[in-house]
């Protein structure tokens, strides 16, 4: 697994790492049951602080993307609570769509963009 951090980004490093891991799950690059590197190893590989990796792993655990196991470390375990996931998606999309509308992006353009993004992940 290769994750890269943009140290010049305004986005926090732990958020970048969370997003990359989620994208890797969505793209089928990593699968349920796969282990992520240890906190120490991930920090060394990327060149960031161990506490930053630990924060990312904690958030991913809280959001149901990984389980932390003493024997195997961080393991991909996607939580299948669809109702909760739909509610969260709705909250996130409301803000994103409101921002888009403030920038005069039309409904048709938003739909086309969403379709393009979904097609990047392939059919599931």
């Amino acid at each position: 697994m290769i994750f890269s951090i943009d140290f010049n980004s305004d986005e926090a490093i732990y958020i970048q790492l969370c997003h990359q891991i989620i994208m890797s799950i969505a793209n089928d690059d990593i699968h349920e049951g796969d282990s992520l590197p240890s906190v120490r190893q991930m920090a060394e590989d990327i060149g960031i602080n161990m506490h930053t990796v630990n924060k990312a792993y904690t958030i991913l655990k809280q959001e149901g993307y990984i389980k932390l196991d003493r024997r195997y470390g961080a393991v991909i375990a996607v939580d299948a609570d669809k109702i909760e996931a739909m509610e969260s998606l709705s909250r996130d999309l409301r803000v994103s769509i409101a921002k888009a509308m403030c920038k005069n992006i039309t409904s048709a353009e938003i739909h086309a963009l969403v379709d393009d993004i979904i097609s990047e992940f392939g059919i599931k």
Side-chain angles (χ1 to χ4, degrees):
M1 282 169 256
I2 299 175
F3 300 105
S4 61
I5 298 300
D6 179 359
F7 293 101
N8 296 318
S9 174
D10 290 336
E11 188 172 54
I13 293 172
Y14 72 94
I15 296 293
Q16 289 183 54
L17 182 57
C18 285
H19 288 171
Q20 288 187 36
I21 291 170
I22 292 167
M23 294 292 286
S24 293
I25 295 168
N27 285 322
D28 273 343
D29 295 331
I30 52 178
H31 307 93
E32 187 152 2
D34 289 351
S35 293
L36 292 173
S38 69
V39 169
R40 182 182 309 268
Q41 187 63 52
M42 180 73 82
E44 281 181 26
D45 290 348
I46 299 175
I48 61 176
N49 189 294
M50 287 183 1
H51 296 292
T52 303
V53 176
N54 193 46
K55 187 170 185 174
Y57 280 12
T58 298
I59 289 170
L60 291 168
K61 179 181 182 274
Q62 290 170 344
E63 293 180 356
Y65 294 101
I66 65 172
K67 289 184 182 176
L68 299 177
D69 183 290
R70 284 185 166 214
R71 295 170 292 171
Y72 305 107
V75 177
I76 302 300
V78 181
D79 184 357
D81 187 350
K82 187 172 182 176
I83 293 171
E84 184 179 319
M86 290 290 288
E87 290 171 356
S88 176
L89 177 61
S90 178
R91 285 190 304 272
D92 294 345
L93 282 176
R94 282 183 192 284
V95 174
S96 295
I97 291 170
K99 288 179 180 180
M101 292 177 78
C102 288
K103 301 292 184 178
N104 296 318
I105 299 172
T106 67
S107 175
E109 291 169 325
I110 293 169
H111 282 278
L113 181 59
V114 169
D115 288 341
D116 288 345
I117 293 169
I118 290 171
S119 70
E120 290 175 13
F121 294 110
I123 298 171
K124 284 192 170 188

